[in-house]
């Protein structure tokens, strides 16, 4: 079984914010694969499907970003899954320009509170990830304010393209090794 998690914040007021691009990717995957997300016992919206011979879980933690690990850690433990082998996380990254994605097999949180929570609950930094660029805030603007704003119309097209590429990379991972996916999408 493979688990694809998109990070974000629940609630209508956060739906289109920079911090929610991970949720956008999960919503697109659910639509493309015809998987229904519903409230689960792991503090998240979870949908289960089968892609070829592989079972997949799509997950949107409903814990708010900073507590994402409270959803994902127990879920992986329940299914006895290995974070390094079976988990892919899609989330926003300030250090990438809007419209760019970067795939990695491991790494630190980079100051991202959702990733800090995941790493703490999983006990490892070694899990696959797709970072979607949301750009840095303008000088003098706080990071917390930046991530909770919406994109300008110019940025939105680039970010939607990046989310679509992250979705295509996720789909590719269902069929080929993540190393090959990285070579194709990085």
């Amino acid at each position: 079984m493979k688990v694809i998690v998109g990070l974000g914040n629940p609630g209508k007021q956060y739906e289109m914010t920079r911090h929610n691009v991970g949720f956008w990717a999960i919503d697109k995957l659910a639509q493309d694969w015809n998987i229904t997300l519903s409230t689960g016992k792991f503090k998240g919206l979870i949908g289960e499907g089968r892609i070829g011979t592989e079972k997949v879980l799509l997950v949107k933690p409903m814990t708010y970003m900073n507590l994402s690990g409270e959803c994902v850690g127990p879920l992986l433990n329940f299914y006895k899954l290995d974070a390094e082998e079976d988990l892919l996380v899609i989330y926003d990254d300030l250090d990438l320009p809007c419209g760019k994605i970067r795939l990695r097999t491991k790494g630190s949180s980079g100051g991202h509170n959702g990733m800090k929570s995941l790493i703490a609950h999983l006990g490892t930094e070694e899990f696959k990830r797709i970072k979607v660029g949301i750009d840095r805030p303008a000088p003098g603007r706080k990071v917390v304010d930046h991530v909770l704003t919406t994109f300008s119309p110019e940025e939105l097209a680039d970010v939607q393209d990046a989310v679509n590429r992250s979705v295509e990379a996720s789909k590719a991972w269902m069929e080929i090794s993540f190393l090959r996916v990285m070579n194709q999408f990085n």
Side-chain angles (χ1 to χ4, degrees), residues 140-154:
R141 187 157 192 217
K142 292 181 181 176
V143 168
V144 68
D145 294 333
H146 178 69
V147 299
L148 296 179
T149 61
T150 58
F151 294 96
S152 72
E154 301 80 31

Side-chain angles (χ1 to χ4, degrees), residues 74-146:
L75 184 140
L76 261 60
N77 286 337
F78 178 82
Y79 287 104
K80 297 177 180 29
L81 298 173
D82 180 346
E84 186 178 349
E85 294 297 318
D86 305 317
L87 176 64
L88 172 62
V89 180
I90 305 169
Y91 64 102
D92 59 290
D93 191 318
L94 290 167
D95 294 323
L96 289 174
C98 286
K100 299 290 182 195
I101 65 171
R102 181 163 297 136
L103 287 70
R104 294 285 182 257
T105 57
K106 61 184 175 183
S108 71
S109 69
H112 191 288
N113 288 331
M115 292 301 286
K116 282 181 189 174
S117 177
L118 282 175
I119 290 166
H121 282 84
L122 297 172
T124 183
E125 294 180 346
E126 297 198 14
F127 54 89
K128 296 161 187 66
R129 53 198 74 189
I130 301 175
K131 304 174 184 187
V132 178
I134 63 165
D135 228 343
R136 283 224 157 257
R141 187 157 192 217
K142 292 181 181 176
V143 168
V144 68
D145 294 333
H146 178 69

Side-chain angles (χ1 to χ4, degrees), residues 154-170:
E154 301 80 31
E155 293 171 318
L156 188 56
D158 289 338
V159 171
Q160 287 174 326
D161 181 57
V163 168
N164 288 337
R165 285 195 322 279
S166 73
V167 165
E168 292 309 311
S170 301

